[in-house]
Amino acid sequence: MALEDVVRSNASGRLMVLAVAAVPLLFVVSGLAIRYAAFASVSEEPGFAAYARALCRWDCAWYIGISEQGYERFPIPNHSNVGRWGFFPLYPMLVAAIRVVFPFQTILVATITSIVCSYAACLVAWPLLDKNMRAYVLYCAFLLSGPFSFHFTTFLTEPLFVLLTSCVFLALKRSSYLAAGVSSALLSATRLVGVFVVFATVIQMFREHRQQGGSALSFPRWVLGRPDLLVAIFISPAGLFAYILFLYLTVGDGLAFLHIQRAFGRVAGNPLVFLWDGLSAVPTTGWLPTAPQWSALAAIAGLALSAVLAARRQYGAALFCALCIILPLITNLASMVRYVIGLAPLTMMLAVLLSVSKLSWLAALVLFLGACYFMTVAWIGGYLALV
Amino acid sequence: MPWSEFPAPYRRAASLGGYALAAVLAGSELIILALALNPNVNADYRAYYIDRTTTCLNRDAVGSYTLGQTVSFRNDGAKQAASIKVCGWSGPAGDGTHSLGETSRLRVKIPPLRNGLTATLQMAAVIRPPQITQRVVISVNGVRAHAVTLSGKEPRMVSFVIPPAALAEADTLEIAFDYLDGIPPTPAASNIYKRSIKLVSFRLDAIETD
């Protein structure tokens, strides 16, 4: 009897592993099919290469430039004020490294790498979603076949950012602080806001300390007594510091990634004013919200989901996500939709919330798959809210 | 693996190694931060990107130019105009080249001069009520040469004599346009996007004296 139970349990475990691996794979295929159909509806040129090129919009061109030519020194060639320094190096470096082994067009290599990263991000999300199959299916559908799946399957930093964010939080969930630190270091070399994840690490350490019966006051001493925790904290921003050093040695300005924002016309201001300006940009014709309205709504929805995370005692993830929204919001609403949907803890929370009932789960799944087509058409057409 | 799980004989070494690594990381990051706070850049970079005291990033562009020649800043003269535009200009539109930001510069190589020079510029104001005029201060090689207030959308011919002080043994001429009434596209927009004038043509003539 016991042996039968073990066999049955092993078989169901194997089935579960297969399902966990197959679900995102299914959405990789369906996502490719839907986005390709959207591409084919607006383009006369057939083929995967043309599809990959068509989906390479906005910042994608910058990452191709970095991957193929690296960063410029100063003065920037062609009498340009805008350099590539604002775009962080890890993902273009990774694509360049893979291109050495597979010498195809950069955008092809990047597209496949992005799909692999997003697929891997789904697998890492499985334990983070507490093995909730419904939420997992929805999350995979969102990343790989959802309305913003082009962000996760072209040459943008989102696929790697989502993967590394998930790795950090999985490591923290398992109290593997060194693994979290190394993932954080990579995250901080992927996008500037990645450095904020160190706060989630410290919060998790504090939580563990309190669970062990330690007081808040004794926390610093506890951390100082644990060299592994110190290493985890100090290694977290290492990717950012490595990039700062690189910029100092090549451009002479370690903070060039911040200073270059001037050439992109970004001006610091009051985030509340930017939000209000965005919401006030009412459409002149029709009823569909304008691009600034979508961006403002995305920021508000992101902050609201951060509050939900905090309410569910996921303080580290809540703080990380809120900072990742507020920092870019200080300059304006540009790319806000992409920044919000690229925050894995938020989209996981959304998947969990939408999976509460079968009906809402099914409705969300159908909506995700259907919207994928139209949003891809909008992305290829250069719709500003999706930048 | 937490330090406490190391076998006892190695725990002390691992602990010391951990502290050493943490110290190296923290020290390196402090040094890099110090470097970042003390950039090693030239004055043009600093003025545009760091201090934000100018909207016009100076470049080493010097265009060749023959005295008496009219350079068109419409599409038809795009190639020659591009060579003398230093900064603060957009690409040419059908009816001229818009200024961008609060300052624009042109720079040309000039032959040795016996007498002075007259500059003739055809330009129009960018107008958006209530801003219906544009004040422009023109300097040559750092010497204030002319000030003009433009109004109306039609281009106006502006002519002035370049002060001799600006020409003393100069082999290049840098003409800077400072705009006092630039119009930003939106209230929150960066000052690098301000629009003030549309330059249609540019010409330099040697002053003939007998």
Side-chain angles (χ1 to χ4, degrees):
Chain A
M1 192 68 182
L3 188 66
E4 263 174 37
D5 282 349
V6 169
V7 169
R8 203 173 299 139
S9 139
N10 275 350
S12 74
R14 238 177 279 136
L15 208 67
M16 188 56 86
V17 169
L18 266 179
V20 168
V23 166
L25 200 59
L26 183 75
F27 286 117
V28 164
V29 176
S30 64
L32 271 173
I34 297 170
R35 286 189 303 277
Y36 190 86
F39 155 73
S41 74
V42 293
S43 169
E44 289 175 359
E45 196 184 352
F48 185 74
Y51 157 82
R53 279 197 301 273
L55 260 68
C56 182
R57 305 278 305 172
W58 307 106
D59 290 355
C60 174
W62 288 100
Y63 289 114
I64 286 189
I66 296 166
S67 184
E68 292 179 347
Q69 296 147 31
Y71 290 92
E72 317 93 337
R73 289 170 181 268
F74 184 79
I76 301 162
N78 302 322
H79 287 174
S80 175
N81 293 4
V82 287
R84 301 183 186 123
W85 315 316
F87 300 91
F88 272 48
L90 185 61
Y91 197 43
M93 274 170 63
L94 177 67
V95 170
I98 294 171
R99 205 181 49 227
V100 172
V101 184
F102 302 101
F104 299 104
Q105 277 181 51
T106 305
I107 186 60
L108 285 179
V109 174
T111 300
I112 292 165
T113 309
S114 291
I115 291 172
V116 171
C117 283
S118 297
Y119 176 82
C122 288
L123 298 182
V124 177
W126 172 245
L128 285 170
L129 290 164
D130 292 327
K131 304 184 179 179
N132 172 345
M133 185 49 90
R134 243 196 254 166
Y136 181 65
V137 169
L138 212 50
Y139 182 70
C140 296
F142 182 83
L143 278 195
L144 296 161
S145 290
F148 307 103
S149 54
F150 43 80
H151 284 139
F152 302 108
T153 51
T154 188
F155 200 174
L156 294 170
T157 48
E158 272 62 27
L160 187 62
F161 192 78
V162 169
L163 172 62
L164 290 171
T165 306
S166 306
C167 289
V168 172
F169 283 100
L170 182 61
L172 290 181
K173 190 175 181 173
R174 294 174 174 172
S175 296
S176 305
Y177 293 111
L178 283 177
V182 172
S183 301
S184 303
L186 297 173
L187 195 64
S188 71
T190 306
R191 270 184 61 199
L192 172 60
V193 291
V195 77
F196 291 136
V197 86
V198 70
F199 296 122
T201 302
V202 174
I203 287 173
Q204 179 59 31
M205 288 173 182
F206 181 74
R207 209 172 189 170
E208 189 183 322
H209 174 64
R210 295 286 284 160
Q211 278 166 358
Q212 289 172 6
S215 69
L217 282 177
S218 65
F219 176 65
R221 211 174 49 186
W222 180 71
V223 172
L224 286 173
R226 289 272 304 268
D228 57 331
L229 302 189
L230 288 175
V231 170
I233 291 171
F234 286 121
I235 207 170
S236 290
L240 171 63
F241 279 104
Y243 186 44
I244 290 176
L245 182 62
F246 168 79
L247 287 175
Y248 183 82
L249 296 173
T250 52
V251 183
D253 178 14
L255 300 179
F257 62 89
L258 287 179
H259 294 141
I260 195 68
Q261 300 304 326
R262 173 160 170 75
F264 287 98
R266 286 202 176 238
V267 187
N270 184 340
L272 292 176
V273 173
F274 287 129
L275 278 179
W276 180 249
D277 287 348
L279 291 172
S280 313
V282 290
T284 47
T285 55
W287 54 272
L288 270 176
T290 57
Q293 282 182 317
W294 280 123
S295 302
L297 289 171
I300 292 166
L303 291 171
L305 278 169
S306 305
V308 174
L309 282 171
R312 295 193 166 203
R313 295 173 172 272
Q314 297 183 37
Y315 301 117
L319 181 64
F320 169 66
C321 292
L323 288 174
C324 287
I325 294 170
I326 292 168
L327 181 77
L329 198 56
I330 288 172
T331 55
N332 58 36
L333 287 170
S335 305
M336 193 48 69
V337 172
R338 179 159 58 89
Y339 293 157
V340 171
I341 58 109
L343 291 170
L346 295 188
T347 44
M348 280 185 221
M349 176 52 67
L350 186 68
V352 169
L353 293 177
L354 291 171
S355 305
V356 168
S357 82
K358 252 186 191 169
L359 191 68
S360 63
W361 175 81
L362 196 64
L365 187 61
V366 172
L367 184 72
F368 285 176
L369 298 176
C372 178
Y373 179 91
F374 298 104
M375 297 294 268
T376 304
V377 171
W379 170 254
I380 293 171
Y383 186 55
L384 214 55
L386 301 171
V387 173
Chain B
M1 182 168 69
W3 256 231
S4 54
E5 290 176 23
F6 276 90
Y10 303 111
R11 200 174 301 156
R12 190 176 157 76
S15 175
L16 282 175
Y19 280 121
L21 181 57
V24 167
L25 283 167
S28 309
E29 286 165 3
L30 271 176
I31 291 167
I32 293 169
L33 192 64
L35 291 173
L37 294 175
N38 295 285
N40 176 23
V41 292
N42 67 23
D44 294 327
Y45 182 103
R46 184 179 286 280
Y48 182 81
Y49 291 109
I50 300 176
D51 297 338
R52 300 182 170 217
T53 50
T54 181
T55 59
C56 189
L57 176 59
N58 187 31
R59 302 184 188 103
D60 57 358
V62 186
S64 56
Y65 176 77
T66 310
L67 292 182
Q69 178 193 19
T70 300
V71 178
S72 170
F73 278 73
R74 293 191 175 100
N75 282 332
D76 56 357
K79 197 172 175 187
Q80 194 183 5
S83 69
I84 66 173
K85 288 194 288 189
V86 178
C87 56
W89 304 102
S90 64
D95 52 356
T97 294
H98 276 106
S99 65
L100 268 180
E102 294 172 344
T103 303
S104 305
R105 290 192 214 181
L106 300 174
R107 197 180 290 137
V108 291
K109 208 164 186 59
I110 51 167
L113 297 165
R114 275 190 298 169
N115 302 307
L117 273 178
T118 305
T120 306
L121 305 158
Q122 196 183 6
M123 49 192 187
V126 171
I127 289 166
R128 191 204 295 153
Q131 187 64 53
I132 53 168
T133 59
Q134 288 290 342
R135 288 172 295 160
V136 186
V137 176
I138 303 171
S139 309
V140 179
N141 289 350
V143 178
R144 184 179 164 123
H146 193 66
V148 62
T149 301
L150 300 170
S151 58
K153 286 185 175 175
E154 288 308 307
R156 180 177 146 190
M157 207 63 95
V158 175
S159 224
F160 57 93
V161 173
I162 293 173
L167 296 172
E169 296 182 17
D171 60 350
T172 58
L173 216 61
E174 183 176 289
I175 303 162
F177 302 72
D178 288 311
Y179 311 114
L180 307 182
D181 306 309
I183 303 171
T186 62
S190 163
N191 61 355
I192 65 167
Y193 295 131
K194 278 185 178 175
R195 299 275 173 131
S196 300
I197 67 159
K198 195 163 47 186
L199 183 61
V200 181
S201 68
F202 163 84
R203 180 187 169 101
L204 290 173
D205 290 289
I207 298 173
E208 302 291 336
T209 51
D210 294 315

